[in-house]
Structures are given as structure tokens and as C-alpha cells.
Amino acid sequence: MTFWRGVSIMKDPLDLTIIQQLLWELKPRTVIEFGAYKGGSALWTADMLKMFGCKSRVISIDIDLSMLDAVARESPDVEFMEGDLFHVEKYFPGDFLKNLPHPWYLSEDSHVNMTRVLEYFDTFTEPGDYLCIEDTNPFSPALSGQGLIKEIGYTEFGPAKLNELKTFVMGRSDRYQVDQRYTDFFG
């Protein structure tokens, strides 16, 4: 497990390297993270953008913020929102989204209602915005902490999320491209 300022982040060092490069290049004005957990990822993202001199708004939503670490909760650079992504339009109404500056960096890591969330945000995204969909590798462990040894009960994540993403993108190939520079960064 990795940590940022003592707060757990559910990302490995390779992901953090790739994402910080992407953030540097994109310099997003708005970041929306779906899935907060302890808040480490949102805290890290806000700190990276601040270090890069970006004026960015970082919003992180989760159905349950009770696990949020105090360091993340007290950060003035992240807005944590408790909400159910099955009602995404309630927490991100159109008028609100229309006023958020672009480019956007949307990070989907909630594993809940992904297709509907992407469909909803699709109507508000603009060229230059970026979607980062996490945990699409079907061979990744289904639960954090499983390790990689099958003898002790390793269960693969499976292809469901990847298949949902493929369906979403294929139906919108005129609007979205897979950024192979980042997806293939480490082989």
C-alpha cells in the first residue's frame, strides 16, 4: 500500500508516476474523482496540481465519507462530497457542471454505476478533457490486499468493468480515444 502525507492511496507507484505526468501535461482546471475511500488520492492530486502552479478545483465524491482520513478531510484544497452515484445528476446538476472550468480530469475509481456516470458527464465534457478509468485490468486482484499468489485465494477482478468501458467508448469513437502513451507506459 502507498501513502501520501500519511494517508492511504489505492494506487501503485507506477500509476502515480503516470498520473503526475498526465496532470502536468493536461493542467486541469477541474478534477472530479469518483470514489474517495480515505481521501489520499484526492489529496495527492490537489498537492501535485498546487505544486505545478495550477489553479484547479478538486472534487471527490463517495457514498460514505466515514473512512476519510482527518488529514484529507481538513485539506482546504479538496472538496469531499458524500453522495450516491446512482443519482449522479443530483450531486452534479447541469448548471453546476456548465460553470466548471475546462479542461477536466475525471477519475473513475468508484466501481459503481460507471456507464451511467460516464454517459451523464459525456454531455458536459469538451475536447481536451480527460477520462481516467481505473481498475480495468481483468487480471488485477478483486480485493485490495489479496496479493498475487493464487494459492492463498487470489481472485481476479474480471472483465466486466473493461467491457463496460469498451462499449461506452466504441459508441463514441468520434469523441474519445484511448491514450496508448499512458495505457502502455510500462508495457
Side-chain angles (χ1 to χ4, degrees), residues 75-161:
S75 172
D77 300 316
V78 181
E79 300 168 43
F80 289 100
M81 178 186 304
E82 192 165 271
D84 184 349
L85 288 174
F86 281 99
H87 306 285
V88 63
E89 61 284 337
K90 176 180 175 183
Y91 301 98
F92 296 98
D95 289 341
F96 174 75
L97 292 176
K98 288 176 187 173
N99 290 311
L100 292 176
H102 294 265
W104 291 357
Y105 176 74
L106 304 177
S107 176
E108 195 292 319
D109 197 16
S110 68
H111 307 274
V112 175
N113 203 28
M114 181 189 76
T115 300
R116 175 66 185 106
V117 169
L118 294 179
E119 287 171 348
Y120 179 72
F121 272 83
D122 178 58
T123 60
F124 300 98
T125 58
E126 297 180 358
D129 292 343
Y130 206 98
L131 300 177
C132 178
I133 312 302
E134 304 219 17
D135 304 320
T136 57
N137 183 339
F139 305 111
S140 295
L143 298 171
S144 177
Q146 278 186 314
L148 298 175
I149 302 171
K150 291 187 179 192
E151 291 81 22
I152 60 170
Y154 180 80
T155 304
E156 294 175 347
F157 193 74
K161 190 170 184 181

Side-chain angles (χ1 to χ4, degrees), residues 156-171:
E156 294 175 347
F157 193 74
K161 190 170 184 181
L162 179 60
N163 291 339
E164 282 184 58
L165 178 60
K166 284 179 183 178
T167 301
F168 172 80
V169 172
M170 288 175 70

Side-chain angles (χ1 to χ4, degrees), residues 1-4 7-12 16 37-38 40-41 44:
M1 176 148 331
T2 52
F3 295 86
W4 180 253
V7 182
S8 173
I9 299 180
M10 299 297 285
K11 290 177 178 34
D12 65 46
L16 293 172
Y37 184 50
K38 300 271 187 185
S41 179
W44 176 85

Side-chain angles (χ1 to χ4, degrees), residues 2 9-22 44 132 134 181-187:
T2 52
I9 299 180
M10 299 297 285
K11 290 177 178 34
D12 65 46
L14 301 178
D15 289 340
L16 293 172
T17 299
I18 292 169
I19 295 168
Q20 70 82 22
Q21 278 192 219
L22 193 155
W44 176 85
C132 178
E134 304 219 17
R181 185 172 52 137
Y182 287 115
T183 59
D184 300 344
F185 199 86
F186 289 103

